[in-house]
Amino acid sequence: MTKDQVEAGQKEQNSVSVRSEEMHAPEGMLGMVWRRFRLHPGAVAGSIVLGMLVLSIILVTFSPYDPEISDIGSRLQPPSWEHPFGTDPLGRDVLTRVLYGGRISLAVGLMVVAITLVIGVPVGAVAGYFGGWVDNVLMRITDAALSLPSLLVLILLSAILREVELPFVERNNVVTIAVVIGLLSWMTVARLVRAAFLAIRELDFITAAHCVGVSNSRIMVRHILPNVVGPIIVESTLEVGYAIMEESGLSFLGFGIQPPTPSWGNLLSNAQEHMTKHPWLAIFPGLMIFLSIISINYIGDGVRDAFDPYKVLKQVGEV
Amino acid sequence: MGRYIARRLLQAIPMLFMISVVLFALVNIAPGGPLSGHGRSRRIRPEKAEILKRQFGLDKPLPIQYVIWLVGNDWMRVDADGDGVTESYGERRGILRGDFGFSYRNRQPVLEEIADRLPNTIYLMGVTLIVVGIIAIPLGAISAVRQYSVFDIVVTTLSFMGQAIPEFWLGLILILIFYAWLNNPFTGAPLLPSGGMQTFGMGFAIWDRIQHLILPVTMGMVGWVAWYSRFLRSGMLDVLHQDYVRTARAKGLSEHLVVYRHALKNAVIPLVTIFALDLPSIFAGSLYVELLFSWPGMGRLYYQAATGRDYPMLMAILIIGAGFMITANLLADIAYAYLDPRIRYD
């Protein structure tokens, strides 16, 4: 076999392998993200832990104990088979209360993300897409909101809401707390979306869309927004963790969810009094906060790597 | 650069004004308030409440109250004894002239009380920040230099854990371990104190002070050490792959010089910026530490003001906090421009 023949054979092999790759349907973005996500050990472990947590939070409905009704006969019992996390000063099962508290925390986390997206995405999109004075006004408002000392304002708002009668909802329930936290945390998303819109609106495919007469709102929603989904998902994932931390902090200070409704924060706050002799009261609720936030952070890290949000910006030359 | 700073300072004024209007409205618009006697057994009689309202000027419309808060009321007649007749000129000078009013709680000047508490918070946070720097910078740098080593994996895992630990829970656990469970083997007393800045009634003693600092500083530091070591690690990794680091190696510099002179110096730049941005949250975080360890600082003062609806105190701390935030943002930008000569503002 001559050298030329060998080379020709290799060429042929190469072209065959290229062709066979082309034969496959192109992998969608979500497929790619999922494939990369699975390779991130932290993210997988985080998903498993969070999944178990969510499952037990759902299944706690079948717990033999009530989270709010006291049982004086079994006060302050240490962890045992009947009460894996022990009982509290009113004889309530701590495991049941912790899991019901988890419902509150996760609900607040998800609601805060929803509020963050509902405010942050439109503000960022409009500011970045239209620019000019609209951008200026919206960004000054964003800057002002970012300049608020957020923990202090959070405490102030929930202290006020604790004393106000609201229509339809109880005082300081999940919704009011989530709204308060959400109103103070949409700015990151707004800035992120604005930066991406600012960069992408200059690209040729947007000009092309303009030329064929696509409306502004359609360009924003159908042509630009899909390119920003990655960073938004990453930010939203991490935001769930921040929101859980903030809610439990507020409840710990007594400004959040009010007892007897259990939340991880107020369980910890109530534990302080009895903690030296009955440490299980303080250990388990905090452990739950810790576990849920660390798994959310690992998931967020995995999603970030999988999406590589900078890729979008790199492609448009922003970074 | 000077013009840039001047422009940013000028922009800060309307923003601070806007924030002050919003905060004032939030604080004052809510029903209830300092005279409703919420949560106390002793209720104030309605006629007495009316008198107090007039004395504090709470009977006036909100915009007027805001103007008085801003510029004072020594130009208008007020009702000093609360009998419904305005007889004398007011005495308040407004925050623009440095008068933040009197606390509703103990009728002391707000600024005096803040001046009393602020040094304690600065003391606590100063020590915490020094410890954070001493631990986080070497951790982050070494873990980047030895990427994927056992050390790196341990540090990265710990930093994930440190960021997920709720500060207040960490404090509780620390108290549990070092105050409730562990005893000093010689005296039988708890190993570390669980509250206060020093032993009550004791004069200044350095060892006593240090003992009182250990738990609060540990509680306040863990999250920030985790965050900064992670941040510095990724910054270091970026820098270590830059051309100038390769150049430094190529011209035969020792690895030590390359890493600590050429790489670390540049990796610390973004850290300085992010640190300036974080400064307000670091101080806000001292709220949990101060509450848990009965530390007589600003955080506890704010907490008391919020529970007691002490409007003048709340407003003062909020405005000072907002001013601090804006200053920190400005400092971050200036530090960035100063440390990184590639950045030019005009």
Side-chain angles (χ1 to χ4, degrees), chain A residues 146 152 160 163 249 253 282, chain B residues 26 30 169 291 302-303 309 325:
Chain A
L146 274 172
L152 302 188
I160 290 171
E163 292 177 26
L253 294 175
Chain B
L26 279 181
W169 184 57
L291 278 176
Y302 185 79
Y303 178 81
R309 299 296 283 280
M325 291 280 293

Side-chain angles (χ1 to χ4, degrees), chain B residues 24 28 32 34-35 46-66 68 73 76-87 92 104 311:
Chain B
F24 193 86
N28 288 276
L35 301 179
E47 57 272 27
K48 176 78 171 149
E50 282 306 306
I51 294 174
L52 282 172
K53 246 186 185 173
R54 284 196 285 266
Q55 280 181 325
F56 286 133
L58 294 173
D59 55 333
K60 296 191 174 62
L62 259 195
I64 306 276
Q65 284 190 41
Y66 177 77
I68 292 175
N73 61 1
M76 61 187 283
R77 289 185 181 280
V78 295
D79 187 4
D81 50 9
D83 56 2
V85 189
T86 52
E87 60 278 299
R92 291 172 56 183
Y104 287 166
Y311 292 173

Side-chain angles (χ1 to χ4, degrees), chain A residues 230-241:
Chain A
I232 292 179
I233 290 182
V234 174
E235 187 58 36
S236 309
T237 315
L238 296 174
E239 186 60 46
V240 178

Side-chain angles (χ1 to χ4, degrees), chain B residues 36-53:
Chain B
S36 68
H38 176 87
R40 298 197 201 120
S41 53
R42 187 170 58 88
R43 287 211 164 257
I44 302 168
R45 275 179 286 119
E47 57 272 27
K48 176 78 171 149
E50 282 306 306
I51 294 174
L52 282 172
K53 246 186 185 173

